[in-house]
């Protein structure tokens, strides 16, 4: 009987201690984000999401990185769609990014995480080119700057979604 009574006291106390120590871990350690394979920044085909049901309401993309742009932002939620690089056949430019054709329902919506990481291709003020190899932005800017850009116009980017939220946006440079 003493053994049963002591287990009733010790086990709940040990469980409570484990919960407290887990809560004391930094947020990064508690929710370590897996490494996702990044698509080519200037890929010429749309990325698919075979497990997404586009016949239902607009919803978050599955975890991973999408080459896309935000088409609409409101109240902490961004709507975004995949994009692809279209080479210019006239020779005047290298090309441009294009979204799905009109009438295509390939679109997603996710909340923008409070601690979203944003890397700009044109600096935080939008005046200098800040890219690393591959044409990806390398200047870290604030969440408010990201939201300002989401509201202004379509900007090509690698958009990382994790657990239904946008956690990282890395702009793709376009001259």
């Amino acid at each position: 009987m003493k053994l049963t009574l002591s287990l009733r006291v010790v086990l709940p106390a040990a469980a409570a201690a484990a919960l407290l120590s887990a809560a004391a871990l930094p947020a990064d350690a508690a929710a370590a984000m897996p490494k996702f394979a990044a698509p080519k920044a200037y890929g010429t085909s749309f990325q698919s999401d075979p497990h997404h049901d586009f016949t239902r309401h607009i919803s978050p993309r599955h975890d991973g990185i999408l080459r896309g742009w935000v088409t609409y932002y409101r109240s902490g939620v961004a709507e975004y769609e995949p994009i692809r690089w279209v080479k210019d056949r006239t020779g005047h430019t290298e090309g441009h990014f294009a979204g799905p054709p009109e009438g295509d329902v390939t679109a997603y919506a996710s909340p923008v995480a409070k601690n979203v990481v944003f890397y700009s291709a044109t600096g935080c003020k939008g005046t200098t080119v800040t890219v690393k190899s591959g044409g990806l932005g390398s200047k870290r800017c604030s969440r408010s700057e990201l939201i300002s850009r989401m509201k202004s116009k379509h900007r090509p980017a690698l958009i990382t979604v994790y657990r239904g939220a946008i956690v990282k946006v890395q702009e793709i440079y376009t001259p």
Side-chain angles (χ1 to χ4, degrees), residues 38-109:
K40 290 181 180 178
Y42 298 95
T44 56
S45 62
F46 293 113
Q47 291 172 262
S48 65
D49 188 356
H51 303 292
H52 194 84
D53 185 359
F54 291 103
T55 62
R56 299 181 151 249
H57 66 323
I58 190 166
S59 60
R61 186 179 197 283
H62 286 87
D63 290 355
I65 303 174
L66 174 74
R67 179 184 53 254
W69 55 30
V70 173
T71 56
Y72 182 74
Y73 176 87
R74 182 174 180 206
S75 302
V77 177
E79 291 183 16
Y80 52 102
E81 64 186 12
I83 58 173
R84 66 185 181 97
W85 181 253
V86 179
K87 294 179 181 176
D88 183 16
R89 302 201 190 291
T90 65
H92 298 293
T93 66
E94 290 183 36
H96 64 277
F97 282 102
E102 190 169 331
D104 189 311
V105 296
T106 309
Y108 309 94

Side-chain angles (χ1 to χ4, degrees), residues 10 12 20 22 25 28 35-36 42 48 55 98 107 119 136 159 163-165:
V10 172
L20 287 174
L25 290 174
D28 294 339
K35 281 272 195 189
F36 298 115
Y42 298 95
S48 65
T55 62
Y119 292 100
L136 297 174
I159 302 168
R163 295 183 176 172

Side-chain angles (χ1 to χ4, degrees), residues 5-24:
L5 181 59
S6 63
L7 285 177
R8 286 184 187 164
V9 173
V10 172
L11 288 177
L19 286 173
L20 287 174
S21 64

